[in-house]
Each structure stands twice: as C-alpha cells, then as structure tokens.
Amino acid sequence: MQIPTADGLADAFAARPDHGERHPGVLMYPDAFGIRPVVREMARELAGHGYYVLVPNFFYRNGPTPVVDLPEHIGEEDRPALIGRLMPLIEAHTTERVLRDADAYLGFLGDQPEVAAGPVAVTGYCIGGLLATRTAAARPGQVAALAAFHAPVAADGPDSLRRLTAEVHFGHAATDITPEALGELNRSLDAAGIDYTSEIYPDTVHGFTMSDTDAFAPAGLRRHWDRLLPLLARTLPHG
C-alpha cells in the first residue's frame, strides 16, 4: 500500500481478517530492519484475531522497504554493519517527523472501509516501540492501547510518559534494562496514573520477538502474544 504523507508516499503492508466487514485498527511499527517476511507474518497473525493491521515503512524517505539489503537470517555477525547503515536514518527520524507521519498513518488507517470507527491501538518493536510510544503520547484521544517490545520507551524522558492515556504494556528484553532502571520507569508510570504492565521478559536479549534473527526467543514471542492479545481485547471493541 502507499500512504500519502506531508513528505511523500510511504510504502506499507496491511493485513485484515478474511471475514466480517469492519475491524478495529492497529498501527504496527516494525523494528529498524523494516517490513520483511517475519513482520508480515506477525501482522497476519494479529489480523487473524480480528484486527486491521497497518505496518508502515517509516524510513520511506530513504526508499522502499527494506532500505538496506538484509540476509535471510540476521546473525549477530551481520548486526553491526546493518545497524551502522541504519543509524544515520534513525538519527534523522526526528520526533517532528515521527508525529507528522503518525498523522498520515492514523488518518489513512481510519479512512479504510474495513476499519471500524473508534479508537485504535499502536504497537512497535525496537525503535518502532519508541515511535509507537511517541504516537500514543501525542494522540491521547485516538489511541486506546500501546504495546512496545524490546524498545527504548523511556528515551524521551518521564514527561513524555505522563502524556499517555492509553492502557500500556512494555515488554523489555533482559539485556536492555536493569531491574533498577525498570523500577524507575515503572515509578514514572505510577506517578502518571497510567494503567500499565511493564516487565522484563526472562532469558531474552534485544530483538527477541523476531524469528529471523539470532536474538529470537520462542518463549519471549509467546509471552508477547499472551500480553498483547488480551490488551487489545480489553481496549478495542469487536476485536
């Protein structure tokens, strides 16, 4: 699919159920490696539970996805070179760009005839989890649920979290955050009065949901679905 934005056309992938006419919308931000077979499969899996899932290429300014050539399996030996190529794109993707694009993504999602009226959910992985958090904080009346996995969700500081009104789940990799840092993050969420769960997934490393990487942890992915699906069922009607 092609999403018109203020800066051009963003390519995207969408998945929806093969039954029924209208479904709650979910905006899913992929990790920095972008839209690829494993991400499409995760979107299809989520769509099978009754949701219209839109996955944008948030690096569209640099070309269609994938913006860098990816091996079929991303090993640890591949990661440094890939991240080295992607880091300038990540650094150039400012909060202003994120929110400008989010307007386009959410507007496009709401315009689809298969998407039900009402609030949506936003999910994300790795850097996509930070983009999801920024989107939810900036659109409190529109986003009812936020889920982010192995993501730097606190990168913008506690003030950004205080703007959240969505119900939240943060699933952290064990290598990404210490118990002390988790406690500090959760105290910020408590102070903001947010309905949330925020936990470290045992025996996981950064990227644990992605089955095409060495970081993949099957138990972590199962826990991700066990947290995500009930969250969406509670917050989005008719999923």
Side-chain angles (χ1 to χ4, degrees), residues 98-223:
V98 172
L99 298 184
R100 195 160 65 237
D101 289 347
D103 282 341
Y105 303 153
L106 292 173
F108 183 88
L109 187 60
D111 286 343
Q112 301 312 297
E114 301 90 353
V115 175
V120 301
V122 183
T123 70
Y125 303 85
C126 182
I127 187 63
L130 176 58
L131 307 190
T133 303
R134 288 174 174 171
T135 299
R139 303 291 177 267
Q142 194 170 5
V143 177
L146 163 65
F149 302 92
H150 46 85
V153 295
D156 293 338
D159 287 343
S160 65
L161 299 175
R162 294 190 186 102
R163 295 196 296 271
L164 291 170
T165 60
E167 185 175 344
V168 172
H169 175 71
F170 292 149
H172 309 282
T175 58
D176 281 349
I177 191 169
T178 65
E180 293 76 17
L182 177 66
E184 183 177 347
L185 170 64
N186 291 353
R187 284 189 291 274
S188 294
L189 296 169
D190 287 333
I194 296 167
D195 187 1
Y196 77 93
T197 54
S198 174
E199 61 183 340
I200 295 172
Y201 286 24
D203 303 315
T204 57
V205 299
H206 182 75
F208 62 81
T209 59
M210 298 296 161
S211 62
D212 62 348
T213 74
D214 279 355
F216 179 56
L221 179 62
R222 286 194 300 272
R223 191 183 188 100

Side-chain angles (χ1 to χ4, degrees), residues 36-130:
R36 57 198 193 281
V38 66
V39 172
R40 294 186 183 96
E41 186 54 39
M42 291 174 74
R44 293 189 187 101
E45 172 92 6
L46 185 53
H49 292 273
Y51 303 97
Y52 186 108
V53 184
L54 181 66
V55 188
N57 168 25
F58 52 83
F59 288 145
Y60 68 89
R61 294 172 181 84
N62 303 94
T65 194
V67 296
V68 298
D69 292 331
L70 298 172
E72 185 174 339
H73 183 86
I74 302 169
E76 282 305 303
E77 68 279 5
D78 303 308
R79 186 176 291 270
L82 290 172
I83 294 300
R85 294 178 63 188
L86 289 167
M87 190 55 66
L89 281 59
I90 293 171
E91 292 171 347
H93 200 56
T94 61
T95 300
E96 291 74 18
R97 280 187 175 185
V98 172
L99 298 184
R100 195 160 65 237
D101 289 347
D103 282 341
Y105 303 153
L106 292 173
F108 183 88
L109 187 60
D111 286 343
Q112 301 312 297
E114 301 90 353
V115 175
V120 301
V122 183
T123 70
Y125 303 85
C126 182
I127 187 63
L130 176 58

